[in-house]
Coordinates of all heavy atoms in Angstrom, one line a residue:
A244 N 16.5 74.0 81.5 CA 16.6 73.6 82.9 C 15.4 74.1 83.7 O 14.9 73.4 84.5 CB 17.9 74.1 83.5
M245 N 15.0 75.3 83.4 CA 13.8 75.8 84.1 C 12.6 75.0 83.8 O 11.7 74.8 84.6 CB 13.6 77.3 83.7 CG 14.7 78.3 84.2 SD 15.0 78.3 86.0 CE 13.5 79.1 86.5
K246 N 12.5 74.6 82.5 CA 11.3 73.8 82.1 C 11.4 72.4 82.8 O 10.4 71.9 83.3 CB 11.3 73.6 80.6 CG 10.2 72.7 80.1 CD 10.2 72.5 78.6 CE 9.0 71.6 78.1 NZ 9.0 70.3 78.8
S247 N 12.6 71.9 82.9 CA 12.8 70.6 83.6 C 12.4 70.7 85.1 O 11.7 69.8 85.6 CB 14.2 70.1 83.5 OG 14.4 68.9 84.1
L248 N 12.8 71.8 85.7 CA 12.4 72.0 87.1 C 10.8 72.2 87.2 O 10.2 71.6 88.2 CB 13.0 73.3 87.7 CG 14.5 73.2 88.0 CD1 15.1 74.6 88.4 CD2 14.8 72.2 89.1
A249 N 10.2 72.9 86.3 CA 8.8 73.0 86.3 C 8.1 71.6 86.1 O 7.1 71.3 86.7 CB 8.3 73.9 85.2
D250 N 8.7 70.8 85.2 CA 8.2 69.4 85.0 C 8.3 68.6 86.3 O 7.5 67.7 86.5 CB 8.9 68.7 83.9 CG 8.6 69.4 82.5 OD1 7.6 70.1 82.4 OD2 9.4 69.1 81.5
L251 N 9.2 68.9 87.1 CA 9.4 68.2 88.4 C 8.5 68.8 89.5 O 8.4 68.3 90.6 CB 10.8 68.3 88.9 CG 11.9 67.5 88.1 CD1 13.3 67.9 88.5 CD2 11.7 66.0 88.4
G252 N 7.7 69.8 89.1 CA 6.7 70.4 90.0 C 7.3 71.6 90.8 O 6.6 72.0 91.7
V253 N 8.4 72.1 90.5 CA 9.0 73.2 91.2 C 8.3 74.5 90.8 O 8.2 74.8 89.6 CB 10.5 73.3 91.0 CG1 11.1 74.6 91.7 CG2 11.2 72.1 91.4
Q254 N 7.8 75.2 91.8 CA 7.2 76.6 91.5 C 8.3 77.6 91.7 O 8.9 77.7 92.8 CB 6.0 76.8 92.4 CG 4.8 76.0 92.0 CD 3.6 76.4 92.9 OE1 3.5 76.1 94.0 NE2 2.6 77.1 92.2
T255 N 8.5 78.5 90.8 CA 9.6 79.5 90.9 C 9.0 80.9 91.0 O 8.0 81.2 90.3 CB 10.5 79.4 89.7 OG1 9.8 79.6 88.5 CG2 11.3 78.1 89.7
F256 N 9.6 81.7 91.8 CA 9.2 83.1 92.0 C 10.5 83.9 91.9 O 11.2 84.1 92.9 CB 8.6 83.3 93.4 CG 7.3 82.5 93.6 CD1 7.2 81.2 94.0 CD2 6.1 83.2 93.2 CE1 6.0 80.6 94.1 CE2 4.9 82.6 93.4 CZ 4.8 81.2 93.8
P257 N 10.7 84.5 90.7 CA 11.9 85.4 90.5 C 11.6 86.8 91.1 O 10.5 87.2 91.3 CB 12.0 85.4 89.0 CG 10.6 85.2 88.5 CD 10.0 84.3 89.5
Q258 N 12.7 87.5 91.2 CA 12.7 88.9 91.7 C 11.8 89.0 92.9 O 10.9 89.9 93.0 CB 12.2 89.8 90.6 CG 13.2 89.9 89.4 CD 12.7 90.8 88.3 OE1 11.7 90.5 87.6 NE2 13.4 91.9 88.1

Side-chain angles (χ1 to χ4, degrees):
M245 296 299 292
K246 180 181 181 302
S247 180
L248 288 174
D250 290 343
L251 288 169
V253 177
Q254 290 186 288
T255 56
F256 293 88
Q258 295 179 293

